[in-house]
Amino acid sequence: MTYFGSAVLALLTLGQAVATSPLDQAATRQFLLTGKVVTIKTLSKGVTKPRRVTLTDGTLTHDAVFQSVEEYKSIERFPTGRVEFDFRDSWHFNIAAFELARVVGLEGMVPACVEREIQNESGSLCWWVTWKWDEQMRVQQKLRPPDTVDWQRQWDVMRVFRELVDDTDRNQTNMLITEDWRVWMVDFSRAFRKTKELRAPAQLKSCPKTLLERIRVLDEPTVRAAVGGHLRPAEIAALLVRRKLIVEHFDALIAQKGADAVLF
């Protein structure tokens, strides 16, 4: 994908190729669906034991990440002390996140992901982003992006999407950074909770105008058409409530500060 000098402009532009892929969006998805499996290796990072799968179509050879986790608990207690009821960890959420990102114009921040069977298991197969650092590495190495304004705007976008999908596991190791300083979100297996509130509304300070308008018009038929095969009715209902709260939050900010101070 050509880097436009603004990562935010790139991620909000529809129809572009996937990160580091010579293919367009449709061809990338087809590659993931039909590419021949060459090798499979379990990754060292990730509690869900994701696998790195090398695929080839005879011309292109590239990797993808396969997750088959499907776990449900009425109560999950985390080492931090946090308790979650009705806990679900699912590969379906990876595909739902990508499909929803496409609807709101953020396929430049969430890699392409499809449903596929690998080693007799159904799961999500997502394009491998060729990254240089994850956020943990960047912080540890005290690296600063060359364009701090663009970097902040990417974070603003990420926070909006995190609230929309209610991603409870957006940590530094699943925020990948490419050499041209674009941020990619991977691993959504613990997103799409049934929460009908925003977890961190104070962090929603700015938003691209295009993104807000696409969230504003997001309705139930559109969401069901995009993710109905991967989300349950209660998960879709909660998403639509959060959509409404995000719009109301930014409308209130605009009324208070003015559009120029909130939208870009």
Side-chain angles (χ1 to χ4, degrees):
M1 178 175 181
T2 302
Y3 184 59
F4 294 91
S6 167
V8 174
L9 173 62
L11 67 90
L12 288 171
T13 303
L14 291 171
Q16 300 297 332
V18 179
T20 69
S21 172
L23 307 175
D24 63 21
Q25 193 68 248
T28 299
R29 296 173 77 190
Q30 188 64 26
F31 177 82
L32 291 170
L33 286 168
T34 61
K36 179 182 178 181
V37 176
V38 179
T39 60
I40 301 174
K41 180 181 179 181
T42 300
L43 294 171
S44 58
K45 289 185 178 181
V47 297
T48 60
K49 294 182 172 57
R51 280 160 274 181
R52 182 169 180 169
V53 181
T54 300
L55 303 170
T56 187
D57 62 3
T59 301
L60 174 68
T61 298
H62 194 79
D63 290 351
V65 179
F66 180 74
Q67 278 184 298
S68 59
V69 61
E70 187 61 57
E71 181 181 3
Y72 174 80
K73 295 180 181 179
S74 57
I75 301 177
E76 174 74 338
R77 302 181 187 276
F78 296 90
T80 59
R82 183 171 70 89
V83 176
E84 183 175 331
F85 297 95
D86 203 16
F87 170 84
R88 186 182 177 201
D89 197 345
S90 175
W91 61 267
H92 285 280
F93 296 156
N94 290 320
I95 301 172
F98 167 65
E99 294 295 346
L100 187 63
R102 291 180 68 214
V103 171
V104 299
L106 296 185
E107 62 263 61
M109 187 171 263
V110 179
C113 197
V114 301
E115 179 177 350
R116 185 164 173 179
E117 186 175 295
I118 302 286
Q119 294 181 323
N120 298 317
E121 291 182 279
S122 293
S124 60
L125 188 65
C126 303
W127 182 264
W128 180 274
V129 175
T130 304
W131 53 281
K132 189 167 185 179
W133 315 277
D134 61 25
E135 177 62 4
Q136 184 180 70
M137 294 166 59
R138 186 195 71 82
V139 172
Q140 289 174 343
Q141 296 176 35
K142 299 180 180 179
L143 301 174
R144 291 178 58 84
D147 186 338
T148 55
V149 173
D150 188 71
W151 178 255
Q152 181 58 52
R153 287 181 170 180
Q154 289 189 76
W155 276 76
D156 289 336
V157 172
M158 183 165 54
R159 290 181 178 118
V160 173
F161 192 70
R162 181 187 64 191
E163 291 287 358
L164 182 64
V165 303
D166 198 14
D167 186 1
T168 62
D169 191 32
R170 186 55 38 204
N171 61 72
Q172 290 183 331
T173 62
N174 56 31
M175 294 157 55
L176 307 181
I177 306 165
T178 59
E179 190 171 9
D180 56 8
W181 287 91
R182 289 180 57 197
V183 180
W184 289 81
M185 295 180 284
V186 298
D187 191 357
F188 288 86
S189 71
R190 294 183 179 180
F192 296 102
R193 277 24 202 167
K194 299 174 185 176
T195 308
K196 295 183 178 180
E197 60 184 11
L198 302 181
R199 293 184 183 268
Q203 294 185 6
L204 303 183
K205 299 179 180 180
S206 187
C207 182
K209 181 179 180 180
T210 303
L211 176 58
L212 181 59
E213 291 310 308
R214 290 184 179 181
I215 293 176
R216 187 185 300 279
V217 300
L218 197 62
D219 58 14
E220 184 173 356
T222 302
V223 172
R224 288 191 180 279
V227 302
H230 298 284
L231 295 186
R232 297 171 179 173
E235 293 160 348
I236 292 176
L239 186 156
L240 291 169
V241 171
R242 295 191 301 269
R243 178 214 68 83
K244 181 175 180 289
L245 294 175
I246 289 170
V247 172
E248 290 176 348
H249 171 83
F250 279 112
D251 282 348
L253 275 185
I254 292 169
Q256 177 187 358
K257 299 182 178 182
D260 289 345
V262 177
L263 304 177
F264 56 89

